[in-house]
Amino acid sequence: MDGSGRRGDYQPWIGLVARLVVGVVWIWAGATKVTEPVASVQAVRAYQLLPGELAEVVGRLLPAVELVLGLALVLGVLTRLSAVLSGLLFVAFIIGIASAWARGLEIDCGCFGGGGYDPDAAFKYPWEIARDVLFLALSAYLVVWPRSKWALDSVLFRRTSTGE
């Protein structure tokens, strides 16, 4: 910051936008899968990265994790922790998609429901990775600057001066 206070002027608004964008994406992703746990498990299995029992657990838990993470980000609760978890999930998804692409698998990413065979998958993989890199960058922004407008964190974890 150059001493003019400019970062302080726009940073909380950028944080709000980052929180809402990433949070809504997680809510959307979780909501499309939470009512169809079998399809979610099949989507995880399609990547052929996890052993059967672990794929089952991940497939069943992932939609709930996505929903909770999305709600936490939208509400601005435990923003830094939520952003760290969000970033880790995006890294895992980027690795999963890149791995499927490198191994010649033609599967729908399963990011927003679905999953399974997709004849256009090789064309979609770069765009899916780019999308997830963008969301990873927004999550990283929130790790560095977690304070944002209209976040419950500002009510729950008020800063106090040393003189109070």
Side-chain angles (χ1 to χ4, degrees), residues 19 26 29-31 36 40 50 53-54 58 70 72 92 98 101 113-116 122 125 130 141-142 149 152 156 158:
R19 270 188 24 241
W26 284 127
E36 299 193 30
S40 182
L50 301 174
E53 288 182 21
L54 187 55
V58 169
W101 189 15
Y125 289 149
Y141 182 90
L142 291 168
K149 291 287 187 182
L152 288 178
L156 298 171
R158 288 196 173 153

Side-chain angles (χ1 to χ4, degrees), residues 20-107:
L20 293 179
V21 168
V22 177
V24 166
V25 165
W26 284 127
I27 291 169
W28 178 24
T32 60
K33 294 183 276 205
V34 75
T35 59
E36 299 193 30
V38 173
S40 182
V41 170
Q42 288 174 340
V44 171
R45 283 190 175 139
Y47 283 91
Q48 303 172 15
L49 291 171
L50 301 174
E53 288 182 21
L54 187 55
E56 174 98 17
V57 171
V58 169
R60 290 193 180 275
L61 289 179
L62 188 58
V65 169
E66 291 170 337
L67 283 170
V68 169
L69 201 51
L71 287 171
L73 286 167
V74 166
L75 295 173
V77 177
L78 300 172
T79 303
R80 179 172 277 145
L81 174 62
S82 299
V84 167
L85 296 174
S86 175
L88 290 172
L89 276 177
F90 282 122
V91 167
F93 294 158
I94 291 165
I95 290 169
I97 294 167
S99 171
W101 189 15
R103 292 179 291 138
L105 298 179
E106 293 181 328
I107 58 173

